[in-house]
């Protein structure tokens, strides 16, 4: 009934992915995969999906952007965000939990963007870089659905990019929180595709270039 109510009110419209996408992989850090980490989220399947998407994007000539988080010891770069969430100390310079895991780490040619807030656009040059390259669509993967994935998707929409959230390649520490945020993203913010649909999208663009 909830979904019917939203559709009846006019939510859940479709956004058409464009011809010039970039793939962003948000914060695939060890902090979410090491089981004694305060941020451990049990999102191994999302990492595996994102790795396949990264390989497909590279094969199609689509820009690949990794984000990472890093703070000084006092966390001044993160302002109130760092004060709000004690677990962000995992990302203080030198903490191994801040590093990428071997299963999904940048390769030569991939770009790495350091951020300090939930959105990959906040306080970074991401928007201007995408605009300079004529990017019209941001394919979003990463962690976590309720935090940085959602914030990045909202900002992408507000800045005029089509946000495509890949349902198989995002995750959160609680499945109910993940589901609620995916519902909102679908209703209000993003085009939501699964991995297979996104791979088909990438392959179609590659075929057009051939």
């Amino acid at each position: 009934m909830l979904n019917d109510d939203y559709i009846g009110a006019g939510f859940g419209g479709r956004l058409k992915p464009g011809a010039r996408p970039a793939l962003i992989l948000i914060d695939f850090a060890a902090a979410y995969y090491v089981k004694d980490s305060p941020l451990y989220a049990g999102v191994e399947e999302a990492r595996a999906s994102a790795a396949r998407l990264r390989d497909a994007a590279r094969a199609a000539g689509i820009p690949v952007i990794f984000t990472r988080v890093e703070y000084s010891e006092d966390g001044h770069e993160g302002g109130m965000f760092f004060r709000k969430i004690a677990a962000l100390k995992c990302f203080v310079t030198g903490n191994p939990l801040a590093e990428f895991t071997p299963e999904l780490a940048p390769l030569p040619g991939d770009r790495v963007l350091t951020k300090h807030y939930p959105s990959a656009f906040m306080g970074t040059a991401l928007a201007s870089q995408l605009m300079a390259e004529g990017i019209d669509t941001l394919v979003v993967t990463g962690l976590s659905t309720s935090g940085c994935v959602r914030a990045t998707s909202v900002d992408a929409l507000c800045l005029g990019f089509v946000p495509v959230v890949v349902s198989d390649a995002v995750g959160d520490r609680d499945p109910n929180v993940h589901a609620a945020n995916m519902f909102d993203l679908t209703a209000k913010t993003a085009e939501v595709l699964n991995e297979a649909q996104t791979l088909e999208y990438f392959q179609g663009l590659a075929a057009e270039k051939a």
Side-chain angles (χ1 to χ4, degrees):
M1 292 181 63
L2 181 61
N3 193 51
D4 291 341
D5 175 67
Y6 269 64
I7 292 172
F11 292 99
R14 303 300 300 273
L15 296 172
K16 181 177 174 57
R20 295 289 303 275
L23 172 68
I24 192 164
L25 301 102
I26 299 174
D27 302 352
F28 279 103
Y32 297 102
Y33 294 99
V34 174
K35 291 192 176 179
D36 62 356
S37 164
L39 288 174
Y40 175 71
V43 286
E44 286 76 11
E45 291 182 3
R47 178 176 59 186
S49 176
R52 291 188 290 268
L53 290 165
R54 189 273 301 273
D55 292 345
R58 287 171 62 90
I62 294 167
V64 173
I65 305 162
F66 280 79
T67 73
R68 61 185 299 276
V69 179
E70 183 177 9
Y71 300 107
S72 303
E73 190 67 37
D74 64 2
H76 67 271
E77 301 93 341
M80 295 299 171
F81 184 48
F82 189 84
R83 296 186 199 181
K84 176 70 174 174
I85 302 176
L88 291 178
K89 292 178 182 178
C90 292
F91 300 109
V92 167
T93 302
N95 191 325
L97 293 175
E99 303 303 322
F100 296 107
T101 64
E103 292 85 353
L104 183 58
L107 297 174
D110 295 344
R111 308 171 191 185
V112 180
L113 176 74
T114 298
K115 68 185 186 69
H116 309 298
Y117 289 94
S119 172
F121 291 98
M122 180 64 186
T124 75
L126 178 59
S128 59
Q129 291 171 2
L130 297 179
M131 290 175 186
E133 294 185 63
I135 299 297
D136 55 25
T137 302
L138 190 63
V139 179
V140 181
T141 70
L143 313 167
S144 61
T145 316
S146 61
C148 299
V149 167
R150 181 170 181 159
T152 299
S153 300
V154 170
D155 279 357
L157 181 79
C158 294
L159 289 164
F161 304 102
V162 175
V164 174
V165 175
V166 185
S167 58
D168 302 307
V170 297
D172 215 302
R173 62 191 299 119
D174 184 278
N176 295 316
V177 172
H178 169 77
N181 279 274
M182 288 301 296
F183 181 92
D184 271 354
L185 284 164
T186 303
K188 302 174 183 177
T189 304
E191 186 68 11
V192 175
L193 302 179
N194 61 30
E195 179 187 332
Q197 291 169 320
T198 308
L199 290 172
E200 184 178 357
Y201 168 47
F202 287 172
Q203 291 159 2
L205 293 175
E208 289 176 7
K209 295 178 184 177

